[in-house]
Amino acid sequence: MIRFLDRINFKNIYHFLGEIHNAYCSKRDFIQFQYGKKETNFDEIETFLEKINLVFEEGQILNLSSSLFGNSLKSNEEIALLQKEIVQHIIDTNNKDFFFCKEYFAMFEYEDGHYVHYPNSYERVNYAGIRNLFIELGVVTMVNDGRYYTINESYVNTLKHLLVLKGSLSPRQLKVALNNNEKIGREAE
């Protein structure tokens, strides 16, 4: 897992992209200075956005991806479009740096018409960064004070290549079934 992911959040991404968008001079040092007035973790945000191809640097000049042209990042609709674009880039199967998305979303099980995940303490700690980012992006919802998480219905089709198929056993369900079979086997002996 990428170690700095726990320092990535949508507010920082939004301000970073806003500084580039609004700058009369998009030199890296200038953007870093302007961004630093409000936020922290400039290097981590820049690296993250470069890895998902939303920002690129050419000779100390930071540029936005062409997919962000025309988005002023001001209206709720434009912010929602930005969130969806970030999600699309993070879960892109060609983006090998984010292979852990498959690992994270494979933990969700299809139950009662929804994809849900009941994390253990290890999963809570190790996937906190990606989970929190996906919560901020509107993909995942925390339920019952974090007892479990669900995937928002509007993202199920977007994530279908990462999710356990409906009717299939999730890794947790498979483990429970194998443990039950092993217990039955021991009792039969």
Side-chain angles (χ1 to χ4, degrees), residues 55-188:
V55 169
F56 61 96
E57 185 176 342
E58 284 183 312
Q60 291 292 310
I61 303 293
L62 293 175
N63 296 296
L64 297 175
S65 162
S66 60
S67 64
L68 295 177
F69 290 168
N71 188 336
S72 68
L73 308 174
K74 299 210 186 287
S75 71
N76 289 339
E77 292 82 17
E78 289 176 317
I79 292 169
L81 283 172
L82 173 62
Q83 289 174 317
K84 287 182 181 182
E85 176 124 11
I86 292 168
V87 170
Q88 288 295 336
H89 284 278
I90 292 172
I91 65 168
D92 184 353
T93 55
N94 295 322
N95 193 345
K96 294 187 180 13
D97 288 326
F98 294 93
F99 65 90
F100 56 86
C101 288
K102 181 150 183 76
E103 190 176 298
Y104 175 70
F105 285 111
M107 292 186 281
F108 282 80
E109 304 167 359
Y110 192 74
E111 194 174 276
D112 298 326
H114 301 285
Y115 281 96
V116 297
H117 173 52
Y118 297 90
N120 60 36
S121 56
Y122 172 82
E123 293 164 346
R124 285 182 195 284
V125 172
N126 282 332
Y127 294 96
I130 192 169
R131 179 198 64 230
N132 293 341
L133 181 59
F134 279 122
I135 288 172
E136 289 180 326
L137 294 172
V139 177
V140 173
T141 301
M142 179 173 55
V143 181
N144 202 6
D145 292 327
R147 195 174 135 252
Y148 68 98
Y149 300 89
T150 63
I151 294 177
N152 292 329
E153 285 300 314
S154 60
Y155 281 99
V156 169
N157 281 336
T158 304
L159 298 171
K160 67 183 171 197
H161 65 288
L162 299 172
L163 296 170
V164 174
L165 297 174
K166 296 175 186 177
S168 300
L169 290 179
S170 71
R172 185 185 69 84
Q173 291 169 324
L174 180 60
K175 184 178 179 181
V176 168
L178 290 173
N179 286 341
N180 287 341
N181 285 346
E182 185 178 313
K183 184 179 176 182
I184 291 169
R186 279 193 309 267
E187 289 174 4

Side-chain angles (χ1 to χ4, degrees), residues 2 4-20 28 31 35 39-56 62 86 98 133 136:
I2 296 176
F4 63 81
L5 196 57
D6 59 341
R7 291 177 276 188
I8 304 295
N9 62 56
F10 183 70
K11 184 181 93 162
N12 288 22
I13 292 169
Y14 176 79
H15 285 133
F16 187 100
L17 295 173
E19 290 300 337
I20 295 173
R28 186 184 188 281
I31 299 299
Y35 174 84
E39 303 295 344
T40 58
N41 303 319
F42 177 87
D43 292 329
E44 290 87 349
I45 298 293
E46 179 187 20
T47 300
F48 175 78
L49 291 172
E50 285 176 345
K51 285 181 182 271
I52 64 170
N53 301 315
L54 287 179
V55 169
F56 61 96
L62 293 175
I86 292 168
F98 294 93
L133 181 59
E136 289 180 326

